């Protein structure tokens, strides 16, 4: 059975420990003989029928031994099949029946004897090849010259190329002549049985599936195939098939290879490297790579595989900006992993770093000798460029580029250009690198920074003071917002059901939170002080605290207001000791008539009890809300600056509406169904 070349390459590979097979070019079968013999391969297959034994008429050629060899039959460079080459060794068997004839035969074979005879032998040799489920037979015609014919002696061999077979197959080979003068030769051979290796993904992990028989013993080795060094074993084990081995995805690197082989002498090995193009393997390789710094000027990149990267030196400023490459003047170098390398610096500096990068991005960066030279310094790197006539120029390496020292740029190096030039000339700068084309200088900037510390400290103190003042203002604002706003609720006690509705509204407003004052909860104080005095005290306290007075209109309240408006100069009619609304009109109406009401008063009415146009026009100079339809706006006005966000305000309005609904429903029940109880609230029981 033909074996595709990619499977053969997995099986036979190019590893030094793997067997190397000869290649046979061309699709045609061929035959060749040992020197002195002539042979011919008959075209086409022949019937594999040995037939019965026959008596030899005299000396005949018979096969004496079979020998096999594995080769590759290649149709193209990468299209090869596994093939079995068979060599048949031949010998002369039998004698002439008459001794005189035998002597004549002997003389014919010896040219020095008298009466030489030209007697040669010819035989048809059959090779039968079976490898389940196929069978194949070929016919070889062999002729031996008389000079080589000696009874009982070997005359040479004929080699047939070749029978194609499958890896791991058991092949049987027979050889005999036609006619058959002796029992046929046979040879049974087990071709190398290589474990079947399949690499598949299992989520984030990788599975190695080796599908072999349960009794097959084989070795498995995982190793790093480093191009820049010897093979580095990672894991090895002798196993019995079948096996499934799971590799963590973090263990994958491009040079991770797998080798399997049967535990048999001279076994063929399978060696593959399936992760060369795996993106995860390349990411893991960079994660596993370590850039090690070796004083005084050495460094080494440790990695399990070779890395297609370049390395260069760069300058890392103290401000934490990008590391600025020193190319030019210093060159880039190709990276050789696991090998100590050096850069041509005269002296080390903690701001000089090694940068390893690919064409895509910077992969690794480490600052040189930081352990021995301390942390980064606030130094300015100057690049000196020398011309052919000893005329040079200096520029400072900055994120915007290399800024000439004597320029009008707005960078720090340009502002201090003359001072830095004097530092170089006076030897205050450290020379890091020098050759005929230029030099690198590291100049300290500490002395220039110290001159500005006083201004910096003053600016910091001023900033702290401003922040502290803002914090105090914020805290006061938060305290003011956190304190509940006061609200004085004024209403006309039309009947008991309306009083229950007012009590329900006052109780709901207390949950916002609001500090609600209503005569319904202060009957004892109202009786002791009188309605007018109680109202004046509550109004003054509410307005001083930034609160609001709520006028709750009802049919009775509207009637009282119109009565006062029609005859404002007449004496007020008598009112009960608990009638705060009637008492308050003498103070409320002047505020509205004189324009002092906006911002201090809010109007409201229940839309099921009073039409919107029933509220007197005088009171419409302040917001008037219909309840409960305009509850969100009403609550927002009551809470003022401390009002929550619209979504939260809508939730509170819904809560107030649910609290009012039972009291609203009771206002429309028949009078007989109404109870005799009065207001609601924390002091509802204190009404004496």
């Amino acid at each position: 059975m033909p074996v595709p070349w990619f499977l053969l390459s997995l099986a036979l590979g190019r590893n030094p420990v793997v067997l190397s097979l000869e290649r046979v070019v061309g699709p045609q079968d061929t035959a060749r003989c040992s020197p002195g013999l002539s042979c011919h391969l008959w075209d086409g297959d022949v019937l594999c029928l040995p037939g019965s034994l026959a008596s030899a008429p005299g000396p005949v050629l018979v096969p004496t031994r079979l020998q096999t060899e594995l080769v590759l039959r290649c149709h193209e460079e990468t299209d090869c099949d596994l093939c079995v080459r068979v060599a048949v060794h031949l010998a002369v068997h039998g004698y002439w029946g008459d001794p005189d004839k035998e002597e004549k035969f002997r003389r014919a074979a010896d040219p020095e004897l008298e009466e030489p005879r030209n007697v040669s032998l010819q035989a048809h040799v059959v090779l039968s090849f079976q490898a389940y489920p196929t069978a194949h037979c070929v016919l070889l015609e062999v002729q031996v010259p008389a000079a080589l014919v000696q009874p009982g002696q070997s005359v040479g061999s004929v080699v047939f190329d070749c029978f194609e077979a499958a890896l791991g197959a058991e092949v049987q080979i027979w050889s005999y002549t036609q006619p058959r003068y002796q029992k046929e030769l046979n040879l049974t051979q087990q071709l190398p049985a290589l474990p079947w290796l399949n690499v598949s993904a299992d989520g984030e992990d990788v599975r190695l599936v080796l599908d072999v028989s349960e009794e097959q013993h084989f070795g498995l080795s995982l190793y790093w195939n480093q191009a820049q060094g010897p093979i580095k074993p990672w894991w090895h084990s002798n196993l019995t098939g079948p096996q499934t081995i799971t590799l963590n995805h973090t263990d994958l690197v491009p040079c991770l290879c797998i080798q399997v082989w049967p535990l048999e002498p001279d076994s063929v090995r399978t060696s593959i490297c399936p992760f060369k193009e795996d993106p995860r393997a390349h990411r893991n390789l960079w994660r596993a790579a370590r850039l090690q710094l070796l004083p005084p000027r050495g460094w080494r990149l440790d990695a399990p595989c070779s890395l297609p990267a370049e390395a260069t030196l760069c300058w890392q400023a103290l401000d934490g900006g990008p590391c600025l490459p020193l190319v030019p003047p210093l060159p880039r170098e190709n990276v050789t992993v696991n090998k100590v390398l050096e850069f041509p610096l005269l002296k080390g500096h903690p701001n000089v770093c090694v940068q390893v990068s690919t064409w895509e991005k910077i992969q690794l960066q480490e600052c040189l000798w930081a352990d021995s030279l301390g942390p980064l310094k606030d130094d300015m790197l100057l690049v000196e460029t020398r011309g052919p006539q000893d005329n040079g120029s200096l520029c400072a390496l900055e994120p915007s580029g290399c800024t000439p020292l004597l320029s009008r740029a707005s960078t720090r190096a340009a502002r201090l250009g003359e001072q830095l030039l004097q530092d170089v000339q006076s030897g205050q700068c450290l020379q890091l690198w020098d050759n005929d084309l230029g030099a690198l200088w590291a100049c300290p900037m500490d002395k220039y920074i110290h001159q500005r510390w006083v201004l910096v400290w003053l600016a910091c103190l001023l900033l702290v003071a401003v922040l502290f003042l803002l914090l105090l203002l914020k805290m006061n604002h938060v305290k003011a917002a956190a304190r509940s706003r006061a609200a004085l609720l004024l209403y006309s006690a039309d009947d008991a059901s309306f009083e229950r509705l007012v009590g329900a509204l006052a109780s709901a407003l207390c949950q916002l939170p609001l500090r609600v004052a209503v005569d319904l909860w202060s009957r004892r104080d109202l009786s002791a002080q009188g309605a007018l005095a109680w109202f004046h005290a509550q109004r003054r306290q509410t307005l001083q605290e930034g609160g609001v007075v709520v006028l709750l209109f009802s049919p009775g309240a509207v009637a009282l207001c119109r009565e006062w408006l029609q005859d404002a100069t007449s004496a007020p009619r008598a009112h009960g000791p608990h009638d705060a609304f009637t008492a308050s009109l003498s103070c409320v109406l002047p505020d509205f008539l004189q324009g002092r009401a906006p911002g201090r008063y809010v109007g409201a009415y229940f839309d099921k009890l009073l039409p919107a146009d029933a509220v007197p026009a005088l009171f419409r100079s302040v917001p008037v809300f219909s309840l409960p339809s305009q509850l969100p706006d009403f609550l927002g006005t009551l809470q003022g600056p401390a009002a929550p966000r619209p979504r939260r305000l809508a939730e509170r309005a819904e809560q107030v509406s649910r609290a009012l609904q039972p009291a609203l429903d009771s206002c429309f029940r028949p009078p007989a169904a109404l109870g005799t109880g009065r207001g609601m609230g924390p002091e509802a029981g204190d009404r004496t």
Side-chain angles (χ1 to χ4, degrees), residues 295 368-374:
L368 294 178
W369 322 297
D371 293 339
S372 58
L373 297 179

Side-chain angles (χ1 to χ4, degrees), residues 425-468:
Q425 295 172 351
S426 61
Q428 299 183 40
C429 297
L430 177 66
Q431 189 177 41
L432 303 180
W433 176 77
D434 183 35
N435 71 358
D436 295 337
L437 300 179
L440 295 176
W441 305 85
C443 298
M445 301 293 290
D446 295 343
K447 59 182 179 181
Y448 304 112
I449 300 300
H450 291 163
Q451 297 174 1
R452 302 181 181 180
W453 273 118
V454 175
L455 294 177
V456 172
W457 277 111
L458 289 176
C460 291
L461 291 176
L462 180 61
L463 179 61
V464 170
V466 172
L467 292 177
F468 183 71

Side-chain angles (χ1 to χ4, degrees), residues 390-533:
D390 293 336
N391 56 342
S393 61
L394 278 171
C395 63
L397 193 62
E398 295 183 296
S400 59
C402 205
T403 306
L405 292 186
L406 302 179
S407 68
R408 296 182 179 180
S410 59
T411 64
R412 183 173 69 160
R415 291 193 297 268
L416 302 174
E418 294 184 0
Q419 293 93 319
L420 292 174
L421 186 59
Q422 293 175 2
D423 291 345
V424 173
Q425 295 172 351
S426 61
Q428 299 183 40
C429 297
L430 177 66
Q431 189 177 41
L432 303 180
W433 176 77
D434 183 35
N435 71 358
D436 295 337
L437 300 179
L440 295 176
W441 305 85
C443 298
M445 301 293 290
D446 295 343
K447 59 182 179 181
Y448 304 112
I449 300 300
H450 291 163
Q451 297 174 1
R452 302 181 181 180
W453 273 118
V454 175
L455 294 177
V456 172
W457 277 111
L458 289 176
C460 291
L461 291 176
L462 180 61
L463 179 61
V464 170
V466 172
L467 292 177
F468 183 71
L469 180 60
L470 293 176
L471 181 61
L472 290 178
L473 295 176
K474 182 67 175 178
M475 291 177 63
N476 291 334
H477 177 72
V478 171
K479 288 180 180 179
R483 187 179 180 185
S484 301
R485 194 181 188 193
L488 174 59
L489 209 60
L490 297 180
Y491 70 99
S492 174
D494 293 3
D495 52 35
S497 61
F498 187 73
E499 278 193 305
R500 282 194 294 270
L501 180 58
V502 173
L505 177 61
S507 297
L509 294 180
C510 288
Q511 306 299 321
L512 290 183
L514 281 173
R515 291 183 292 111
V516 179
V518 61
D519 65 346
L520 192 63
W521 297 342
S522 305
R523 291 297 170 86
R524 180 178 297 174
D525 295 338
L526 207 64
S527 300
Q529 300 175 14
L532 188 60

Side-chain angles (χ1 to χ4, degrees), residues 541-626:
Q541 181 180 354
T542 300
L543 296 180
Q544 286 177 351
E545 294 177 356
V548 63
V549 178
V550 180
L551 299 178
L552 195 57
F553 291 99
S554 64
V558 171
L560 289 174
C561 291
R562 287 176 177 172
E563 180 180 344
W564 275 81
L565 291 174
Q566 290 174 0
D567 191 7
T569 60
S570 63
R573 68 171 181 169
H575 51 79
H578 298 163
D579 194 354
F581 184 79
T582 304
S584 66
L585 288 178
S586 60
C587 295
V588 170
L589 288 177
D591 287 342
F592 278 90
L593 292 172
Q594 298 173 13
R596 297 194 302 266
R600 307 166 82 182
Y601 291 84
V602 172
Y605 64 93
F606 294 100
D607 45 20
K608 291 185 178 182
L609 300 179
L610 190 71
D613 56 358
V615 178
L618 175 65
F619 297 99
R620 294 189 178 277
S621 60
V622 299
V624 179
F625 301 97
S626 175

Side-chain angles (χ1 to χ4, degrees), residues 286 314 322-323 325 354-365:
W286 281 110
C314 62
C323 197
V354 175
Q355 203 173 71
V356 178
S357 60
T358 61
W359 63 274
E360 296 177 333
K361 63 177 182 178
I362 297 173
Q363 299 287 355
L364 297 172
Q365 178 179 311

